[in-house]
C-alpha cells in the first residue's frame, strides 16, 4: 500500500506560510494610513480614497526588481530589495503628480524560507513607510520546481491618486524651462544584467570575496546593492509649493530615453554632462566593462534618479526646497526647440 502523501511531501509547507503571515502583520501595521478599511488577511484589501480629493484620478504602476535579485541571492542580502520593489512603482506613479496610497506585493519561491521572506517583506514595509503608502495586501506563492532553492521573484503594485486638475503630464513644458536632476543612490534597479557581467569580468564571480573589498569607505557589495531612492515625500512637497511641469523617473533607458516620455515632439532636453558628478560605482562599471558613453547613458541613470522640469523663474526656489527636504539636486539642463532630425534628449 502506498504511503499517504501530504502537501508538505509535495514541497509546500502550509505551516511555514502561516508563520510568515504572522511575521508580516506587525510590519504591515506600521504602514497604515487614512483610507485603509481592511488589509492583510482577507481575500481582498479595502481602501477608501481620502475625502480631501474632490476629483480623484487613480494612478497605478507595477514593476519588479529584475536581475539585481541574482546579487541578493549570491550575497545573501535580502533586507533592501523590498525597498527597491516599492521604489520602482511609487516613483513611476509620482511623476504624474500622484500620491501613493497603497501597495501590494507578490513573492514567489520554490521552497519558502520564513526568515528570507520576512527580510524581503520587511524591506517592502520600510519602503512603504518612506513613500507614505500602506502595505495592504500581497501574495506568497510556494511553487516547488519553479525556482531553484534559495531563489525567489518579486513583483509590486502601487496605486495612487491625484486631483484631475493637477495631473502632471508634460504638456506645459516649453523652451526655456530648466531640467533639475535629483541624485540617485547608485544603479537603483536597472542594468543589473550588465552590472553582473562586469563584476564577473572584474572579480571572477558575483559572490567573490572581493565583494567585501573597501570601495570609497564601504564594502563594494554595499555600492552595488544600495536600494533605489524613493522621491515621493520631497517631490510631493515641491508640487505643493511650486508649479512642476514634468517629471521623469530615470529607469531602464537612462536619461536619454526617459525624459522624452514627458516631452512634446517639438521639444528637446539639452543636458550638460559636467553639471552633476557621476558616482564612483558608474566610473568603476564603465572602466572595468569598457562601456561607451552612449551605452552608459542608455543603460544606467549615471547619478540622476529623477528629472524635474520647472520654469526658469522657479528653478532656484525648487532647488532650495528640494535641498531642504534632504535631496541632492543639480541644474542639469534646459528645454529648447527640437532641431529637425535631432533626438529629444542630448547629453553634451
Amino acid at each position: 500500500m502506498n504511503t499517504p502523501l501530504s502537501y508538505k511531501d509535495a514541497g509546500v509547507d502550509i505551516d511555514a506560510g502561516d508563520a510568515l503571515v504572522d511575521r508580516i502583520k506587525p510590519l504591515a501595521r506600521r504602514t497604515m494610513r487614512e483610507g485603509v478599511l481592511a488589509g492583510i488577511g482577507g481575500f481582498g484589501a479595502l481602501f477608501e480614497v481620502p475625502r480631501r480629493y474632490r476629483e480623484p484620478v487613480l494612478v497605478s504602476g507595477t514593476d519588479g526588481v529584475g536581475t539585481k535579485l541574482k546579487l541578493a541571492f549570491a550575497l545573501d542580502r535580502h533586507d533592501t530589495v523590498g525597498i527597491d520593489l516599492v521604489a520602482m512603482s511609487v516613483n513611476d506613479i509620482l511623476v504624474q503628480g500622484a500620491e501613493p496610497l497603497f501597495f501590494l506585493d507578490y513573492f514567489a519561491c520554490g521552497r519558502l524560507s520564513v526568515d528570507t521572506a520576512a527580510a524581503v517583506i520587511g524591506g517592502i514595509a520600510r519602503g512603504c513607510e518612506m513613500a507614505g503608502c500602506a502595505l495592504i495586501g500581497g501574495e506568497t506563492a510556494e511553487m516547488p520546481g519553479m525556482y531553484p532553492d534559495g531563489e525567489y521573484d518579486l513583483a509590486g503594485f502601487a496605486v495612487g491618486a491625484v486631483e484631475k486638475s493637477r495631473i502632471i503630464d508634460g504638456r506645459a513644458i516649453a523652451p526655456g524651462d530648466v531640467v533639475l536632476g535629483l541624485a540617485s543612490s547608485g544603479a537603483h534597479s536597472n542594468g543589473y544584467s550588465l552590472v553582473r557581467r562586469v563584476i564577473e569580468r572584474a572579480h571572477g564571480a558575483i559572490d567573490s570575496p572581493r565583494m567585501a573589498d573597501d570601495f570609497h569607505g564601504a564594502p563594494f557589495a554595499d555600492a552595488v546593492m544600495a536600494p533605489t531612492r524613493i522621491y515621493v515625500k520631497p517631490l510631493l512637497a515641491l508640487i505643493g509649493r511650486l508649479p512642476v511641469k514634468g517629471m521623469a523617473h530615470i529607469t531602464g533607458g537612462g536619461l536619454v530615453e526617459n525624459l522624452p516620455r514627458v516631452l512634446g515632439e517639438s521639444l528637446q532636453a539639452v543636458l550638460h554632462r559636467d553639471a552633476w558628478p557621476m558616482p564612483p560605482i558608474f566610473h568603476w562599471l564603465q572602466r572595468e566593462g569598457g562601456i561607451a558613453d552612449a551605452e552608459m547613458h542608455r543603460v544606467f541613470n549615471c547619478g540622476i534618479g529623477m528629472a524635474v522640469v520647472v520654469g526658469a523663474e522657479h528653478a532656484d526656489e525648487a532647488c532650495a526646497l528640494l535641498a531642504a527636504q534632504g535631496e541632492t539636486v543639480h541644474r542639469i539642463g534646459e528645454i529648447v526647440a527640437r532641431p529637425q532630425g535631432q533626438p529629444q534628449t542630448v547629453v553634451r
Side-chain angles (χ1 to χ4, degrees):
M1 181 176 179
N2 290 332
T3 303
L5 290 173
S6 68
Y7 209 7
K8 190 171 184 177
D9 293 328
V12 178
D13 189 340
I14 296 174
D15 292 334
D18 292 342
L20 178 61
V21 171
D22 289 339
R23 293 269 289 271
I24 291 170
K25 283 182 177 179
L27 302 176
R29 278 197 292 269
R30 293 206 304 265
T31 72
M32 290 302 100
R33 52 159 293 158
E34 62 170 333
V36 178
L37 301 181
I40 289 175
F43 287 98
L46 303 178
F47 193 95
E48 181 180 43
V49 177
R51 295 182 182 180
R52 53 189 165 83
Y53 286 97
R54 295 183 178 182
E55 291 184 287
V57 173
L58 297 181
V59 185
S60 59
T62 182
D63 210 336
V65 180
T67 62
K68 189 175 186 177
L69 290 179
K70 286 288 190 181
L71 279 171
F73 306 150
L75 300 172
D76 196 25
R77 289 186 172 212
H78 309 285
D79 58 335
T80 59
V81 290
I83 298 174
D84 287 303
L85 184 69
V86 175
M88 296 305 287
S89 287
V90 297
N91 285 341
D92 272 359
I93 65 174
L94 171 66
V95 301
Q96 290 171 294
E99 170 196 9
L101 299 176
F102 60 85
F103 189 86
L104 298 95
D105 70 279
Y106 177 80
F107 178 99
C109 60
R111 178 178 297 176
L112 180 62
S113 163
V114 174
D115 288 341
T116 297
V120 172
I121 297 170
I124 293 171
R126 286 198 302 280
C128 287
E129 290 183 82
M130 294 163 69
C133 64
L135 176 60
I136 60 172
E139 172 69 11
T140 301
E142 189 175 15
M143 299 183 286
M146 286 290 288
Y147 300 91
D149 282 352
E151 296 196 3
Y152 54 83
D153 200 8
L154 293 174
F157 314 86
V159 174
V162 60
E163 287 287 1
K164 189 173 183 179
S165 62
R166 304 198 66 181
I167 294 172
I168 299 173
D169 57 13
R171 293 183 186 179
I173 298 174
D177 289 341
V178 170
V179 183
L180 306 178
L182 278 65
S184 68
S185 55
H188 284 181
S189 297
N190 296 105
Y192 273 82
S193 295
L194 180 54
V195 170
R196 289 185 296 113
R197 286 291 300 275
V198 176
I199 292 173
E200 288 167 354
R201 174 186 289 187
H203 292 170
I206 59 174
D207 59 353
S208 164
R210 293 184 61 189
M211 296 293 281
D213 289 353
D214 180 80
F215 186 77
H216 297 270
F220 179 79
D222 287 359
V224 292
M225 289 300 294
T228 306
R229 241 183 121 65
I230 292 175
Y231 300 100
V232 171
K233 291 181 180 179
L235 284 177
L236 287 179
L238 177 68
I239 293 166
R241 293 281 298 276
L242 292 174
V244 171
K245 296 187 175 186
M247 292 186 284
H249 183 202
I250 310 306
T251 55
L255 283 159
V256 296
E257 293 189 3
N258 282 291
L259 261 171
R261 297 168 70 178
V262 296
L263 296 178
E265 287 290 328
S266 64
L267 298 176
Q268 181 184 68
V270 178
L271 308 181
H272 305 287
R273 185 59 202 85
D274 60 354
W276 76 93
M278 192 162 73
I281 188 62
F282 296 114
H283 287 294
W284 184 89
L285 288 166
Q286 185 167 27
R287 182 182 69 249
E288 297 295 330
I291 305 170
D293 286 347
E295 186 75 356
M296 290 292 294
H297 295 154
R298 285 189 66 199
V299 176
F300 300 116
N301 65 60
C302 293
I304 299 297
M306 183 74 76
V308 179
V309 182
V310 296
E313 69 277 17
H314 295 126
D316 289 343
E317 188 177 357
C319 287
L321 284 169
L322 289 167
Q325 293 286 324
E327 294 298 320
T328 299
V329 58
H330 307 279
R331 189 165 173 157
I332 64 172
E334 60 278 338
I335 304 299
V336 301
R338 180 185 181 187
Q340 188 173 5
Q342 289 284 315
Q344 284 195 280
T345 303
V346 294
V347 182
R348 295 175 178 169

